[in-house]
Amino acid sequence: MKPTIYDVAEKAGVSIATVSKVINNTGKISDKTKQKVLKIMEEINYQPSVVASALTGKQTNTIGFLIPDIANPFHAEMARSVEDRGHELGFSVVMCNTDGNLDKEAQYLEWLQRKRVDGIILGSAAQNNAIIKELIKQEIPAALIATDMPSLSVNAVLVDDFLGGYQAISHLTSLGHTDIAFLAGNLNNVMEKERLRGYKQALQEAGAAFDRKNLLTNNFSFDDAKRSMKKLIESGRRPTAVFAFNDLLAIGAIHGAKEAGLKIPDDLSVIGFDNTLLAAVNDPPLTTIAQPIQDMGRTVTDLLVKEIKGGNTVKQRVVLLPELVVRQTTIPPKI
Amino acid sequence: MKPTIYDVAEKAGVSIATVSKVINNTGKISDKTKQKVLKIMEEINYQPSVVASALTGKQTNTIGFLIPDIANPFHAEMARSVEDRGHELGFSVVMCNTDGNLDKEAQYLEWLQRKRVDGIILGSAAQNNAIIKELIKQEIPAALIATDMPSLSVNAVLVDDFLGGYQAISHLTSLGHTDIAFLAGNLNNVMEKERLRGYKQALQEAGAAFDRKNLLTNNFSFDDAKRSMKKLIESGRRPTAVFAFNDLLAIGAIHGAKEAGLKIPDDLSVIGFDNTLLAAVNDPPLTTIAQPIQDMGRTVTDLLVKEIKGGNTVKQRVVLLPELVVRQTTIPPKI
DNA sequence: GTGAAAGCGCTAACAG
DNA sequence: CTGTTAGCGCTTTCAC
C-alpha cells in the first residue's frame, strides 16, 4: 500500500496534524520535529495525495485545455507552451480535443468540472458563448485564447487580426500587387472577418479596388485549399498574389497553383498566417504573418493561474501583435 | 455551492446511499425512486465529484501521457489518437512534455501518481528503464509506445523498425540506387539501430556494399539535417539517395541538397519516415515509410485501459508494420 | 509547538 | 429495496 500521512505520523512519533503542517509549511513547528518528519517522508517515499487534499477544499493544480485539434501544428505549438508554462507554475494540463464540436465541448466541460480542475483554457468556443457564460456563473476560472468574445468578462489573449491582415496586404501592395486573392475559411468567425477588414483597408490605402471574386472560401483543409486555388486559376482569373488564412492553406494554394502550371513565387506570390513549422519547412520558405504562439500560450496560462490563485482580480484582454516574416514566396509581380 | 450527494438525497427524500446506487447503477432500487432521484439530479444539475469517489478507492478515469514534445507532428498525431480513444473509453488524458529529459520524466511520474492517475503511457523512456521498473513495482498500469524495452514485462506497441528500414532501402535499390546515405539522429536508441540493420540488410541483398561514410548523424533538428546534407554534398561525396530518420529530417536534407545545387528528385532521391503531415505537404510530396500513428495511439490506449480495468491480464507487445508510401521524391538514379 | 477531532463528498458493507 | 455507518487521506480550527 502507498504510505499515507498516518504512516508518516506514526513513524515520526507525531500527529498527522503536525505532518500536514510540515507538508504545507503552515503553522509553527520546531525545526527539530520538522526535520524528523521530513526525514521519514523521504525514507518511506511518501507522496501526499492530491485527491485527498483536493477533497478538503484545496486545489487540484490541474487545468483543462480545450482545443479544436492538437494534431494541427498551430494548436500543438500552443499546447506545448501552455503545458510548459503550466508545469512551471505547478499545474498539469489535461487536453481535450473538441473538433470545434459544441456537444463535445459541453461534455468535456462537465467532465473537467467533475474532476475539479482549477481552471479552464478555451482554445475553441467560437460559436457558442452560452457555454462560457455557464462557466462564469459557476465561478470557474476561465481564459480564452485566440477567440474573441467581446461581450463577455473573461480573461483572454488574442492577436490583432485586423493588423495581421493589414500587414500581409500592405507587404503585398508595397511589392506592387493589387490583384490579391484572400483564401479564407468559412468567414464565419471574428478572426477571419477582422483579417478581411485589414485586407480591405490595406487595399484601399494602396488605391486598389476590392474585388469580391478574390474572396475564396473553403473548409480549412489542405486539399480543399489546393483545389480551390487550382480551380480559380484554371477558370482564367489570375491574381498576382494570395493571402491565405493559415500556413497550411497557403501551402495548399501553392500546390494548387503549381498544378495549374504556375511558378511560385514568379507567377504568384503567396503569404500565409501563423508562422508554424510548416512555413519554415516549405520550399520555397513561406512568407507569413507570425502569431506569437509561445507568448500567447504563456500569457493565457499566466492569466488563468492568476485568476485561480488571486480570486477576484481584474479581468484583462491581452492583444498581442502579429509580425510580418518575409521569406521567399513573395516578390514583386512580373508584368 | 456545488450540489453534493446530500442535496440530492434530501430533495429526493431518500438516503445518500440510495443516491449513490442510482449514480453507479449498483444494488437494487425501485424504478420509481430511481426516476425520482434522476429527476432531482437533473433539476439541481448535480455532478458527482470524481475527487471524492477517487478517495474511496475508485478510479480517477485519468491517464497520464508522457511525450517528448507535443509540438512535433509525429507526437501530436499520436497524442490526438490517444486522446480520442481515451475519451471514447471514458478517460481524460493529461499530457506531459518531457523533452526526453530524465529529470522531467521522473518529476512528472511522481506528480501523476500523486494525482492518482489510473495509468500511464510512456512515449519517451528510451534511456532509463529504472523509471519503468519503479512504475511496475508500484503496480501502476503502464504502456509503452514506440519505445522498446525488451527486458521488461510491460504492455507496448511498436512498429517494426527493422522492416521499415528494409522497406525504405529496398524501394531505393529496386529503383537502382546503391549509394544511399542514412541520415540518422544520434544512433543511440533501438529504433535507429533497427532501421540501420534494415538498411544494411537491404543493401546487402541488393549486392551493394555498406559505406560507413554514408552514415550521417545529427541532433534531430531540421536545421542540422539541412546543414549536414549540404556539407556532405559540398564535400564531394554524392550519394544518389538519402534515407532520413523522419520526415522532418528528410525535408531538411532536401533543403540542404537544394542549397548545394541539387535538384530533387532528379539528382537525389529522398525517403523519409513517419508519414506525417509534413510529408504530404512537402513539394514535391515526400516518399516515406508510414507509421500507423493512429493505430499505435489507439492500440496503446486500449492496452492500458484493459490493464487498468482487468487487473492481471497478460501483458503483450504489439508490433505494427510500417508501410511504404511512394510519392514523388524517389526516382531511378540518373546515370 | 503540538494534537484531537470534525469534516470534505462519496462508496461499500451491513442491517433492516 | 432502502438506510446507517464507517472510512478514504488530508486540512483546519481549537484546545492544551
Side-chain angles (χ1 to χ4, degrees):
Chain A
M1 245 349 253
K2 258 179 102 62
T4 73
I5 198 170
Y6 287 97
D7 301 319
V8 180
E10 188 182 341
K11 297 215 199 291
V14 298
S15 77
I16 60 165
T18 304
V19 178
S20 175
K21 276 165 198 147
V22 351
I23 293 171
N24 301 293
N25 241 310
T26 52
K28 303 225 154 291
I29 22 125
S30 72
D31 208 61
K32 187 158 156 250
T33 48
K34 185 169 178 174
Q35 294 311 327
K36 189 169 52 183
V37 171
L38 252 19
K39 184 155 153 286
I40 301 289
M41 297 201 311
E42 176 83 3
E43 263 176 44
I44 65 176
N45 189 25
Y46 167 69
Q47 297 173 342
S49 155
V50 175
V51 171
S53 82
L55 189 56
T56 71
K58 292 205 121 186
Q59 289 165 348
T60 53
N61 291 314
T62 308
I63 68 190
F65 185 24
L66 257 56
I67 11 175
D69 177 15
I70 188 87
N72 170 323
F74 176 68
H75 294 121
E77 286 179 34
M78 190 92 91
R80 168 78 213 217
S81 81
V82 166
E83 206 271 348
D84 280 351
R85 184 57 178 161
H87 187 227
E88 277 177 37
L89 300 172
F91 288 76
S92 41
V93 2
V94 350
M95 65 179 166
C96 310
N97 275 106
T98 65
D99 287 318
N101 174 326
L102 281 181
D103 289 338
K104 265 189 152 177
E105 219 168 77
Q107 197 184 136
Y108 267 123
L109 247 19
E110 185 193 319
W111 185 231
L112 291 173
Q113 284 173 242
R114 303 214 318 143
K115 296 232 166 147
R116 285 263 330 262
V117 298
D118 299 327
I120 297 180
I121 295 178
L122 286 304
S124 77
Q127 334 186 34
N128 187 345
N129 60 20
I131 282 179
I132 307 176
K133 284 204 185 116
E134 188 59 26
L135 234 42
I136 297 178
K137 213 180 78 195
Q138 320 250 272
E139 296 190 312
I140 298 181
L144 302 180
I145 187 159
T147 320
D148 207 9
M149 280 283 138
S151 60
L152 260 34
S153 165
V154 233
N155 279 313
V157 3
L158 1 119
V159 95
D160 188 333
D161 285 296
F162 169 79
L163 180 60
Y166 182 84
Q167 286 171 330
I169 305 306
S170 295
H171 168 60
L172 257 16
T173 56
S174 77
L175 248 26
H177 296 273
T178 52
D179 190 2
I180 305 169
F182 180 19
L183 183 58
N186 52 22
L187 279 173
N188 270 336
N189 57 69
V190 203
M191 264 156 47
E192 293 189 75
K193 284 177 185 151
E194 280 298 286
R195 291 185 201 172
L196 178 59
R197 216 161 55 77
Y199 166 99
K200 287 179 177 168
Q201 168 87 22
L203 223 48
Q204 184 187 330
E205 285 183 13
F210 166 62
D211 182 351
R212 187 153 224 84
K213 290 209 198 69
N214 269 335
L215 216 51
L216 271 46
T217 55
N218 76 91
N219 67 3
F220 291 106
S221 78
F222 174 80
D223 286 328
D224 213 36
K226 174 171 160 187
R227 208 173 306 126
S228 68
M229 195 65 215
K230 189 175 176 193
K231 217 175 80 189
L232 179 77
I233 294 165
E234 288 176 343
S235 80
R237 278 279 304 108
R238 173 94 184 265
T240 61
V242 200
F243 168 40
F245 175 72
N246 65 30
D247 294 336
L248 185 63
L249 299 190
I251 294 174
I254 291 178
H255 283 231
K258 282 192 179 161
E259 282 196 3
L262 300 196
K263 279 206 150 108
I264 311 293
D266 307 44
D267 303 323
L268 182 74
S269 282
V270 180
I271 184 166
F273 210 105
D274 289 352
N275 195 29
T276 50
L277 178 63
L278 292 174
V281 150
N282 191 58
D283 183 34
L286 184 71
T287 294
T288 193
I289 302 294
Q291 300 214 49
I293 308 186
Q294 309 287 333
D295 291 313
M296 294 170 76
R298 206 184 158 80
T299 308
V300 248
T301 311
D302 284 345
L303 245 35
L304 183 68
V305 169
K306 207 196 290 170
E307 188 180 344
I308 291 173
K309 297 238 160 103
N312 296 325
T313 47
V314 185
K315 304 282 193 299
Q316 43 186 141
R317 185 172 305 163
V318 179
V319 178
L320 267 21
L321 304 189
E323 218 163 81
L324 173 68
V325 176
V326 179
R327 285 198 270 249
Q328 300 168 29
T329 53
T330 46
I331 58 171
K334 298 275 164 73
I335 330 278
Chain B
M1 248 348 254
K2 259 178 102 66
T4 71
I5 198 171
Y6 287 97
D7 300 320
V8 180
E10 189 181 341
K11 298 217 200 287
V14 298
S15 76
I16 59 165
T18 305
V19 178
S20 174
K21 277 168 196 144
V22 352
I23 294 171
N24 300 294
N25 241 311
T26 52
K28 302 223 155 292
I29 29 225
S30 73
D31 208 58
K32 188 161 153 244
T33 47
K34 184 169 178 176
Q35 294 311 325
K36 190 167 52 179
V37 170
L38 251 18
K39 185 156 153 285
I40 300 288
M41 299 203 309
E42 177 84 3
E43 262 176 45
I44 65 177
N45 190 26
Y46 167 69
Q47 296 173 343
S49 155
V50 175
V51 172
S53 82
L55 189 56
T56 71
K58 291 206 122 185
Q59 288 165 349
T60 53
N61 292 314
T62 308
I63 66 191
F65 185 25
L66 257 55
I67 11 173
D69 177 16
I70 188 86
N72 170 322
F74 176 67
H75 294 120
E77 286 179 35
M78 190 92 91
R80 168 78 212 215
S81 81
V82 167
E83 207 272 347
D84 280 352
R85 184 58 179 161
H87 187 228
E88 278 176 36
L89 299 173
F91 287 76
S92 40
V93 2
V94 347
M95 63 178 169
C96 309
N97 275 107
T98 64
D99 286 318
N101 175 327
L102 280 181
D103 288 338
K104 266 188 150 178
E105 217 168 77
Q107 198 183 133
Y108 267 123
L109 247 19
E110 185 193 318
W111 186 231
L112 291 173
Q113 284 174 243
R114 303 213 319 139
K115 296 231 166 148
R116 285 260 333 258
V117 299
D118 299 327
I120 297 179
I121 295 177
L122 286 305
S124 76
Q127 336 187 32
N128 187 344
N129 62 19
I131 283 179
I132 307 177
K133 283 202 186 118
E134 187 58 27
L135 235 41
I136 298 177
K137 213 180 77 194
Q138 320 252 269
E139 296 190 315
I140 299 181
L144 302 179
I145 186 160
T147 318
D148 207 9
M149 281 281 139
S151 59
L152 259 33
S153 164
V154 234
N155 279 314
V157 3
L158 0 120
V159 96
D160 188 333
D161 285 296
F162 168 79
L163 179 59
Y166 181 84
Q167 285 171 330
I169 305 306
S170 294
H171 169 60
L172 257 16
T173 56
S174 78
L175 249 25
H177 296 274
T178 52
D179 189 1
I180 305 169
F182 180 20
L183 183 57
N186 51 23
L187 280 173
N188 269 336
N189 55 69
V190 202
M191 265 156 45
E192 294 189 73
K193 285 179 184 150
E194 280 298 285
R195 293 186 200 171
L196 178 59
R197 215 161 55 78
Y199 166 101
K200 287 179 175 165
Q201 168 87 20
L203 223 49
Q204 183 188 328
E205 286 183 11
F210 168 62
D211 181 350
R212 185 153 225 84
K213 290 210 198 70
N214 269 335
L215 217 49
L216 270 43
T217 54
N218 76 91
N219 66 4
F220 290 105
S221 79
F222 174 80
D223 286 328
D224 212 37
K226 174 171 157 186
R227 207 173 307 127
S228 69
M229 195 66 217
K230 189 176 173 190
K231 218 175 81 190
L232 179 77
I233 294 165
E234 288 176 343
S235 79
R237 279 276 308 104
R238 173 91 186 266
T240 61
V242 199
F243 168 42
F245 175 72
N246 65 29
D247 294 337
L248 185 63
L249 299 190
I251 294 174
I254 291 179
H255 282 231
K258 281 192 181 163
E259 282 195 5
L262 300 196
K263 279 206 150 107
I264 311 294
D266 308 42
D267 303 324
L268 183 73
S269 283
V270 180
I271 184 165
F273 210 105
D274 287 353
N275 194 30
T276 51
L277 178 64
L278 292 174
V281 151
N282 190 59
D283 182 35
L286 185 72
T287 295
T288 192
I289 300 296
Q291 301 213 47
I293 308 186
Q294 309 287 333
D295 292 313
M296 293 170 77
R298 205 183 158 81
T299 309
V300 245
T301 311
D302 284 344
L303 245 36
L304 184 67
V305 170
K306 206 194 293 168
E307 186 180 344
I308 290 173
K309 297 237 160 102
N312 297 327
T313 47
V314 184
K315 304 282 192 300
Q316 45 185 141
R317 185 172 304 164
V318 179
V319 178
L320 266 22
L321 303 190
E323 217 164 81
L324 172 68
V325 176
V326 179
R327 285 199 270 250
Q328 301 168 27
T329 52
T330 44
I331 58 172
K334 298 277 164 71
I335 331 275

